[in-house]
Amino acid sequence: MKIKLNHKFFILVFILSFSLYFGQKTEFNIPKDIETLQNTIFYFQNDYTRDEPKAAAASNSDFSTTVDLYNLKYDGASKNLYLDLALKSGAKPKQFIQQAIWTVNMKKVSSKNTKVTVYLERLIPDSWSKKEVDTKLTKSTGKLEQEIKEFLINYKPSEAAEGAEAADASSAEAATTYSDAPTLAAEEGTSKQKKTSKNLQNLFSKKQFITLPATSAVFTKLLQTDPSELECKDCKNGQYSSWDFDDFNMIYANMNDGREYYAIQYYGSDMVSGLPYGLVFNDSSPSECKQKFARYNAKLYQTTVDTNENTSSALTVVTFKMNSSFVRLEFGNQYLTRLVISNKEF
């Protein structure tokens, strides 16, 4: 996010510039004054950065901030350009790095010369990769360091000023959003209780989604209760299976057109765990889920659903394909309320 430096210091938290890092540093001198460079670095971007406020620390002669890259995919056959990933013994060749953080330090050498040091400080693999990636031995390839160097040399301060007014407006809007969020969470937190569903734990005892194809008998065995068989003209054998519990309902259907799916709808007001991958009914948010399943190219968007014959309402969804299954997460009250697994795209 392009924000003037003097504005940023009113909203950013100071960070330590000498924290533990991976031991790999790149140093270079830029023939510009430190004030110009510390303003310029906030405008750096590539395909893996995000428009977001960045923490910074500064004095008359020193400056420190970070450059964060997100959603870095790694495949043994086509390695990511920014990381030389170290894998533990027996690790799979495909890994996903949720966030990689490089620290950028600047030190004033003279009125027109600044020494810049860049190093990889922290690596955050996603939940699937954190046990297989050695974050201590992983190194930066040097590509980001080179991009930062070229950017600081070639970027003109006047270019940054052109979009400052619009960026300041975006910053103010973001600040409003963030200030409202804690209040909302606090209000809802007072009325919601956390609990674990034994039925969901039984259903997902292997800590993963149930793969398709399946049968009604598969779910009956896991749920340890018989379903109701309800009429459905578009289903094979003219019916689908439905299991009712105190706070959620599950259905399994095999359609005449070849679609097969199961869906879980939560109706309660508490925060209920028991789903795989850390998903929690009435607690997991759309943005959290999009980030959680980023390695599967999760998409977040809004759609409309019919509530009755005459009206419809907006619905936020996150969709992605995991292995051979298509997953749809629905957020009817700003938090996860429904999960659908299908053998065909939605």
Side-chain angles (χ1 to χ4, degrees):
M1 182 179 293
K2 298 180 179 179
I3 304 173
K4 292 181 180 178
L5 183 62
N6 60 341
H7 287 179
K8 292 182 69 65
F9 287 141
F10 286 99
I11 62 173
L12 299 180
V13 179
F14 278 82
I15 61 171
L16 296 174
S17 59
F18 298 104
S19 56
L20 179 65
Y21 60 91
F22 287 62
Q24 177 191 21
K25 294 191 298 183
T26 298
E27 297 181 341
F28 47 86
N29 278 26
I30 303 293
K32 294 182 181 181
D33 63 273
I34 190 170
E35 290 81 6
T36 296
L37 293 181
Q38 68 185 24
N39 190 29
T40 301
I41 189 62
F42 292 118
Y43 297 87
F44 175 82
Q45 59 183 338
N46 63 24
D47 292 340
Y48 298 95
T49 55
R50 291 180 178 174
D51 287 339
E52 59 182 2
K54 305 299 295 182
S59 67
N60 291 334
S61 59
D62 294 275
F63 176 82
S64 181
T65 188
T66 64
V67 172
D68 299 10
L69 301 189
Y70 295 87
N71 300 343
L72 299 175
K73 294 184 178 181
Y74 176 92
D75 191 322
S78 55
K79 297 181 179 180
N80 186 273
L81 298 176
Y82 296 96
L83 294 174
D84 184 7
L85 207 64
L87 299 180
K88 296 179 181 179
S89 177
K92 299 175 183 177
K94 292 186 178 182
Q95 303 294 336
F96 189 87
I97 305 304
Q98 202 163 293
Q99 184 179 2
I101 303 169
W102 279 259
T103 289
V104 180
N105 289 332
M106 299 180 185
K107 187 172 185 62
K108 181 178 179 180
V109 177
S110 67
S111 60
K112 294 185 179 179
N113 196 358
T114 304
K115 179 181 178 181
V116 180
T117 303
V118 185
Y119 57 83
L120 178 62
E121 179 182 337
R122 189 181 178 199
L123 202 67
I124 307 175
D126 70 357
S127 57
W128 287 273
S129 298
K130 63 182 180 181
K131 294 182 180 179
E132 299 191 331
V133 173
D134 192 326
T135 58
K136 299 301 181 184
L137 295 181
T138 293
K139 296 182 179 180
S140 172
T141 63
K143 179 174 174 57
L144 181 66
E145 292 85 338
Q146 185 62 33
E147 289 181 0
I148 291 174
K149 179 180 179 180
E150 293 177 359
F151 178 81
L152 292 175
I153 291 173
N154 299 318
Y155 199 67
K156 298 179 181 178
S158 59
E159 296 177 5
E162 292 177 1
E165 184 176 348
D168 288 342
S170 298
S171 177
E173 181 181 353
T176 300
T177 301
Y178 293 139
S179 63
D180 287 344
T183 302
L184 177 63
E187 289 176 355
E188 295 197 358
T190 59
S191 59
K192 293 194 297 184
Q193 295 181 348
K194 280 192 172 183
K195 63 180 185 179
T196 301
S197 169
K198 191 66 176 176
N199 293 313
L200 290 177
Q201 285 185 324
N202 290 338
L203 184 62
F204 298 106
S205 58
K206 295 184 178 180
K207 310 298 183 183
Q208 59 188 14
F209 296 130
I210 299 166
T211 57
L212 298 173
T215 63
S216 178
V218 170
F219 298 102
T220 296
K221 182 178 180 179
L222 293 170
L223 292 168
Q224 300 174 16
T225 185
D226 292 327
S228 300
E229 300 297 337
L230 306 179
E231 292 185 4
C232 170
K233 65 179 181 180
D234 296 322
C235 298
K236 290 184 178 180
N237 302 319
Q239 59 185 17
Y240 68 93
S241 302
S242 174
W243 294 263
D244 283 311
F245 298 93
D246 291 339
D247 49 11
F248 75 89
N249 165 264
M250 176 176 168
I251 63 173
Y252 166 76
N254 206 338
M255 313 300 289
N256 291 325
D257 63 3
R259 178 183 294 277
E260 180 186 11
Y261 73 93
Y262 62 92
I264 303 172
Q265 176 76 56
Y266 177 68
Y267 297 105
S269 57
D270 293 323
M271 297 177 287
V272 176
S273 61
L275 295 171
Y277 308 112
L279 293 171
V280 180
F281 276 132
N282 209 26
D283 184 56
S284 297
S285 68
S287 58
E288 173 194 340
C289 291
K290 183 177 184 295
Q291 179 65 26
K292 183 186 292 288
F293 297 102
R295 66 154 53 197
Y296 297 103
N297 297 320
K299 296 179 176 59
L300 187 159
Y301 58 93
Q302 278 201 326
T303 186
T304 56
V305 293
D306 294 332
T307 54
N308 57 48
E309 294 181 355
N310 301 315
T311 62
S312 61
S313 62
L315 179 69
T316 301
V317 300
V318 171
T319 59
F320 55 93
K321 183 181 181 183
M322 178 183 283
N323 303 321
S324 61
S325 296
F326 294 89
V327 182
R328 177 184 172 102
L329 306 177
E330 299 183 0
F331 306 82
N333 59 351
Q334 301 182 41
Y335 299 103
L336 181 64
T337 53
R338 189 168 185 256
L339 177 148
V340 186
I341 309 294
S342 176
N343 66 336
K344 291 187 176 183
E345 191 169 6
F346 300 101

